[in-house]
Amino acid sequence: MSGGSSAALTTTHLPQLRATLDEWREKQPAPRSFTAPRQDLATRLADENAVGAKEGKDIVVAFRTRPPLPDEAAEKFHTLETKEEAAAGDQDTELSDATPELPAKVEFCSGVTAASAEPGTFICHVPGFKWSGPTLTHKSYESDLAFGPAIDNDEVYQRSVVANDMIPLALSSGIACILAYGQTGSGKTYTMEALEHRIARDLFVAAKFIGDRLLRAEQAAKASSSESVEVPDEVKATDVFEFNVSFLELLGKRAVDLLEPVEGLPVDAQGNPVRNEVPIHEDKNGDVRPRLVSRVVESADQLDELIVSALSHRRVSATLRNATSSRSHAVLTVRITNKLMPFAEPGQLLLVDLAGSERYEDSKAHDKQRMLESRENNNSLMSLKECVRAKAKMATEDGFVHIPWRSNKLTMLLKPIFDVESRQPSKTLIIAHVSPHIQDSAHSVTTLSYAAPFKTAPPKPRGPAPYDPQDPRTWNHEQTLAWFTEEFTKRAKVRRAAAHKAQAEKAAREGKETRPLDPAAPVKLAVDVARLCPPGMTAKHFGQLTTMQFVQRSLEAAPELDRDLTANVVKNTAGEVVGTLYYLILSAKTRKRRNIMKSRKTIDVNMYGDSPYDTIPGTNVRIPEGELAEHSVFKMYTREQFVISSQRRSTGWYEVINAAVLEAREAGGNVALAEVEAVSKMMEEDYGTPATQEAAQE
Ligand SMILES: Nc1ncnc2c1ncn2[C@@H]1O[C@H](COP(=O)(O)OP(=O)(O)OP(=O)(O)O)[C@@H](O)[C@H]1O
C-alpha cells in the first residue's frame, strides 16, 4: 500500500477515512450501470443474429466484488491485530483460531467502488498515513465488465457467459474457459459454483437446441438422396452430443482426480482419503491429457450431481482469512463430442476455480507444508499471468509471441487455450474477485493490477497483407473462391475417377467396354462454392471456423445430393478441404515464427561473439568450458530431450538464457554458471528434478 501498511490501519482511523471517501464520492459522476438488456441463453439462441455477433475477443476480463458479510469488518481488524502480535513475536498467539472476543461492532468502510459496469472500472481506495493522519489514494483499473456488490449470480452469468456465447462455442468444437481469480474469501467459489450450476442446466438446453438444428439440416441435406435421417419429434441433447466430465484438483504440485472412487484409499490424520497423484505431462502427440476418471453425463441433473459431489471432495482447510478457504486449483472439464461429426475435435468447457492468492503476510503463519503449497500456488498464478498476458498480446500483435505454458502444471492443463498452434478457437473469461473492505485494499490493488492488463483492445485494423499463395490469411474473396474451387474440383475428379474405374471393372467382367473418361468434362463439386463463400468472406474467416462449423456450412451449401454425392461424401470432402486450409495457415504462421527466430538467433550469436564451445545438442546455446561442461545438467538428460525442449520452446530458450546472462553480467556474477542454471531450470520444468536434487535443496 502506498504511504503506509494495512497493519497500521486501526478502527480509530475509520471515521476520517469514511469522511474522506464521502467527500471524494460527491465529486464523482454517478456510477455507470449496464445499458444493454440482459438475455438468457434460450432467448439468445433463438435470436438468429445474436450468437457470435460480438466482436471476437478471445480474452474477456471481469471484476467482481461482493457485499460485506455480517461482522466481517470487525473480524478483519481482529485478524490484522492478531497477526501484528504474531509478527511482534508473541509465540502464544493462536493465529488460525478466531478467538471469540471480537472487538465491538465495526462499521463497514468500503475499499472499492464499481464506477462503470461495461466497459468495467473499479476504483480501489488505498489508505496511507501522513503526520496529519490517514489519507486515501484512489486507483482506477479497467476491465471489460465490472460487477458491483449488488449484482447477483444470474446477472453475472448472463453478462459474461451468455453474452460471450461460451456455451455455443464449446458445442461447436471450440474451447470455452472460465477462470475465477482473487484473494481468499473474496467470493471466487461463490461465483464459480453458481456459474457451474447454471452452465450445467444451459449446456443441455443449448445442446438440445443446436442438436435439433443440426439433425434437421442433415435430414434436409439427405432428403434428396437415398440416405435418410430420422429426426425424433423431440430431439434430446444426447441424440447429437456426448458429454464427458472430469474433475482435477491441483494442490501445490500434486494433482489428484476428484472423481476417483475413494473406497479402499488410505486416509490422513483428519480422515480425508489420500488420493493417488495424477502425473501431468505432455504425451508424444503434444497433448496434455492426465489420466482421469471421466464420466459420461446424460442430463443437466447428472452433471449437477457430479459437480456437487466432486466439490464436496475438494480439500479445504482453514486459513487466516476464511474458515473454509480453498487452497487448491480445481479444474472441471466437460469434453463435448458431436456424434454427427466424429472427425471434428471435441469442444471443451474448462471451469477453473483458482486457489486464493495470498500475500506474504497471509502466509507467514503457515506450517512448512502450507508454505510450500502457498509458494507453489503463487508460482502457478504467476505463470498463468505470463501466459494470459502473452495470449492477450498475441491478439493485438501480429508478430510471434511465446506463451510459456509448459512452465507449470496449471498452465499445462490449460494448454488448449494457450497453444499457439491449436486450430480450435477459444474464449477465456477471467473473473477477478476483490473483497469490499478497506482492510483488504492493498490486496485488491494486487488482484486488479494482475488482471487489468489482460484486457485487450480489439485488433487494430491493418491494411491488407500482400498476397501470398501459401498464406491463406492474405487471400481476398476472389482468391479464396478460386482456391476452394480448385480444392473441391481436385477431390471431385478423384471421386469421378474412382467411380469410373469401378464401373469399367464391372463392365469388363460383363465383357462390355466403357468409354474412356474425359478429363476435361465438368465435374459435380461437393459444394456450391459461391454459396459456401458469399461475397465478403475470405480464407481468414474460414480459418476461424471450427471443423464442425465448416462442415455444417458445406452441407448447407451442397448441391442436390444423389447416389454418388451423398451427405457423407460432402462431410468428408469438406473435412479434408478445411483440414488443408488449417494446415496452410499453420505452416504460414510457423514459417513466420521461424523467420523471427532466425533473426533472434543472429542477435544471440552477435551478443556472444563467435561460439568457442560446444553447443547443447539441437541448439546453438554454448556448453561452457571446463568444469561446467561436466555439470550434471548435461548428463542428466539425453540429447533427444535437449532437442525436444529446445524445439518446444523455440525462441523462449534463447530469451531465458540471454536474460540470465545479461543479469549475471550486470551483477558481475559468473556468466557461464548463470547460463547453466538457466538451462537446468528449463530442463527441470520439462522433465522434473531427480529426487536426489530435491532432497539436496531441502
Ligand atoms: N456476491 C456475493 N454475495 C453474497 N455473499 C457472497 C458473495 N460472494 C461471496 N459471498 C460469501 O462470502 C464468503 C466467501 O466467499 P467464497 O468462499 O466464495 O470465497 P473464495 O474467494 O472462494 O475463498 P477461498 O479462496 O478461500 O475459497 C462466503 O460466505 C460466500 O457465501
Side-chain angles (χ1 to χ4, degrees):
M1 164 184 327
S2 67
S5 92
S6 60
L9 184 69
T10 68
T11 44
T12 53
H13 297 128
L14 290 185
Q16 190 170 345
L17 288 173
R18 240 180 256 119
T20 317
L21 198 56
D22 287 344
E23 217 175 278
W24 173 84
R25 283 213 176 109
E26 271 171 25
K27 295 190 202 124
Q28 301 304 306
R32 270 177 297 152
S33 17
F34 289 100
T35 46
R38 287 156 65 172
Q39 260 189 334
D40 64 18
L41 187 77
T43 321
R44 190 162 175 89
L45 285 170
D47 178 355
E48 285 281 327
N49 302 320
V51 173
K54 263 208 162 178
E55 170 65 53
K57 267 189 170 193
D58 55 7
I59 296 182
V60 177
V61 189
F63 295 155
R64 187 176 195 191
T65 190
R66 58 172 171 77
L69 306 174
D71 294 331
E72 196 186 359
E75 279 166 29
K76 278 188 189 291
F77 274 111
H78 176 69
T79 314
L80 283 176
E81 282 158 15
T82 323
K83 272 199 304 171
E84 260 173 42
E85 283 167 30
D90 183 351
Q91 295 304 318
D92 296 334
T93 312
E94 276 290 318
L95 282 160
S96 43
D97 285 348
T99 66
E101 293 163 41
L102 291 177
K105 187 155 176 61
V106 178
E107 224 182 295
F108 167 70
C109 181
S110 169
V112 62
T113 299
S116 164
E118 185 172 20
T121 309
F122 263 17
I123 298 174
C124 231
H125 313 298
V126 190
F129 298 92
K130 273 196 188 152
W131 60 269
S132 51
T135 59
L136 266 190
T137 320
H138 310 284
K139 297 189 172 183
S140 174
Y141 297 90
E142 309 272 305
S143 59
D144 297 299
L145 301 164
F147 303 113
I151 308 245
D152 65 12
N153 281 330
D154 268 328
E155 180 153 12
V156 169
Y157 172 67
Q158 287 168 359
R159 302 266 180 210
S160 57
V161 180
V162 174
N164 284 291
D165 301 319
M166 301 199 66
I167 293 179
L169 175 69
L171 285 166
S172 47
S173 75
I175 317 265
C177 175
I178 304 175
L179 300 162
Y181 174 80
Q183 177 187 1
T184 284
S186 56
K188 296 181 298 298
T189 309
Y190 183 87
T191 304
M192 230 26 207
E193 288 188 7
L195 295 188
E196 279 165 357
H197 294 309
R198 280 162 183 74
I199 289 173
R201 180 195 64 203
D202 275 359
L203 182 60
F204 282 83
V205 172
K208 190 171 157 193
F209 186 90
I210 295 175
D212 184 277
R213 217 154 55 183
L214 291 177
L215 269 178
R216 285 185 203 287
E218 179 123 337
Q219 184 188 42
K222 289 183 173 176
S224 55
S225 71
S226 53
E227 304 163 281
S228 70
V229 176
E230 284 279 325
V231 180
D233 287 342
E234 179 148 4
V235 172
K236 293 199 296 291
T238 47
D239 287 338
V240 174
F241 297 101
E242 187 182 293
F243 305 89
N244 277 279
V245 183
S246 59
F247 214 151
L248 177 141
E249 182 185 49
L250 189 60
L251 181 70
K253 280 191 175 176
R254 198 177 136 80
V256 296
D257 184 348
L258 287 177
L259 298 184
E260 176 187 31
V262 289
E263 293 84 44
L265 288 179
V267 289
D268 65 14
Q270 288 85 42
N272 295 319
V274 181
R275 291 168 185 277
N276 290 307
E277 179 162 1
V278 180
I280 294 175
H281 47 69
E282 215 178 339
D283 64 22
K284 281 201 298 287
N285 303 322
D287 292 326
V288 181
R289 293 240 188 115
R291 281 173 182 266
L292 297 173
V293 173
S294 121
R295 297 263 167 81
V296 175
V297 286
E298 297 193 333
S299 67
D301 286 344
Q302 280 183 12
L303 178 53
D304 220 26
E305 267 169 39
L306 199 62
I307 293 173
V308 170
S309 93
L311 285 177
S312 72
H313 297 154
R314 194 168 168 203
R315 217 176 133 189
V316 289
S317 122
T319 68
L320 284 174
R321 295 271 157 144
N322 187 357
T324 57
S325 145
S326 41
R327 295 145 41 195
S328 58
H329 308 299
V331 186
L332 168 72
T333 310
V334 185
R335 284 171 75 83
I336 306 163
T337 321
N338 181 331
K339 295 189 241 178
L340 296 177
M341 297 182 194
F343 42 79
E345 303 81 356
Q348 290 190 48
L349 263 170
L350 288 164
L351 307 177
V352 188
D353 188 358
L354 294 164
S357 59
E358 286 185 311
R359 294 188 315 137
Y360 173 67
E361 290 92 280
D362 304 328
S363 61
K364 272 200 292 211
H366 294 340
D367 61 23
K368 191 170 170 218
Q369 170 64 20
R370 287 287 317 274
M371 285 279 253
L372 284 175
E373 273 171 18
S374 174
R375 198 171 66 190
E376 195 49 44
N377 281 343
N378 279 343
N379 283 347
S380 54
L381 292 173
M382 278 305 127
S383 298
L384 178 67
K385 175 173 161 177
E386 294 292 307
C387 291
V388 182
R389 270 192 179 185
K391 182 153 172 114
K393 195 166 158 210
M394 209 168 80
T396 42
E397 285 178 22
D398 196 26
F400 165 64
V401 176
H402 174 70
I403 304 187
W405 58 268
R406 286 186 184 85
S407 61
N408 188 278
K409 286 189 177 169
L410 174 68
T411 48
M412 281 182 84
L413 289 169
L414 299 177
K415 179 187 173 195
I417 56 168
F418 291 134
D419 184 9
V420 284
E421 305 210 334
S422 165
R423 60 189 216 194
Q424 283 179 277
S426 72
K427 196 172 269 279
T428 305
L429 165 69
I430 297 172
I431 311 179
H433 295 76
V434 292
S435 148
H437 292 271
I438 197 152
Q439 292 100 309
D440 289 317
S441 286
H443 205 135
S444 303
V445 163
T446 318
T447 303
L448 299 177
S449 41
Y450 177 101
F454 301 155
K455 179 175 186 281
T456 50
K460 282 187 216 107
R462 284 190 194 90
Y467 171 63
D468 172 356
Q470 291 302 316
D471 185 352
R473 295 169 305 169
T474 66
W475 303 347
N476 63 20
H477 174 66
E478 283 69 33
Q479 286 150 350
T480 307
L481 265 185
W483 185 82
F484 276 136
T485 308
E486 191 185 322
E487 287 297 312
F488 280 105
T489 308
K490 221 167 22 189
R491 285 173 175 79
K493 284 189 172 165
V494 170
R495 244 184 4 256
R496 183 175 64 181
H500 183 265
K501 191 166 165 231
Q503 225 175 21
E505 280 169 1
K506 185 166 171 257
R509 278 197 301 277
E510 291 165 3
K512 295 184 200 151
E513 276 210 6
T514 347
R515 262 194 288 155
L517 195 63
D518 172 9
V523 274
K524 182 172 178 181
L525 307 195
V527 300
D528 175 347
V529 175
R531 258 168 73 201
L532 175 72
C533 179
M537 286 286 280
T538 64
K540 202 168 166 182
H541 297 121
F542 287 100
Q544 283 157 4
L545 297 181
T546 60
T547 308
M548 189 183 119
Q549 288 164 332
F550 184 84
V551 172
Q552 188 62 32
R553 280 187 86 107
S554 301
L555 270 179
E556 283 158 13
E560 197 159 302
L561 301 182
D562 54 34
R563 210 166 43 104
D564 293 327
L565 186 66
T566 61
N568 279 342
V569 169
V570 175
K571 285 204 245 173
N572 290 337
T573 315
E576 275 176 37
V577 170
V578 77
T580 313
L581 183 73
Y582 290 145
Y583 173 78
L584 282 178
I585 294 178
L586 204 60
S587 323
K589 280 191 192 163
T590 321
R591 248 194 328 275
K592 182 161 185 183
R593 195 168 311 142
R594 257 193 244 119
N595 289 340
I596 296 173
M597 236 174 84
K598 245 194 237 156
S599 63
R600 291 203 186 165
K601 275 188 196 170
T602 323
I603 299 170
D604 189 50
V605 170
N606 289 345
M607 202 165 97
Y608 287 126
D610 278 344
S611 167
Y613 309 126
D614 281 335
T615 56
I616 295 168
T619 77
N620 69 358
V621 175
R622 301 166 307 148
I623 297 180
E625 234 176 359
E627 264 176 45
L628 286 172
E630 293 294 305
H631 191 280
S632 59
V633 67
F634 300 114
K635 297 190 177 150
M636 240 153 53
Y637 305 99
T638 63
R639 181 191 158 82
E640 202 185 356
Q641 285 174 320
F642 277 114
V643 175
I644 294 173
S645 277
S646 113
Q647 280 173 352
R648 270 183 188 170
R649 256 169 242 277
S650 54
T651 51
W653 176 268
Y654 300 100
E655 278 165 5
V656 175
I657 289 176
N658 288 353
V661 166
L662 285 179
E663 200 179 305
R665 261 195 207 142
E666 270 170 26
N670 183 336
V671 171
L673 187 62
E675 203 169 4
V676 171
E677 278 169 357
V679 172
S680 303
K681 190 162 166 276
M682 281 186 289
M683 297 308 286
E684 204 181 283
E685 272 168 18
D686 285 359
Y687 301 100
T689 338
T692 46
Q693 276 216 347
E694 225 156 49
Q697 276 171 8
E698 286 284 299

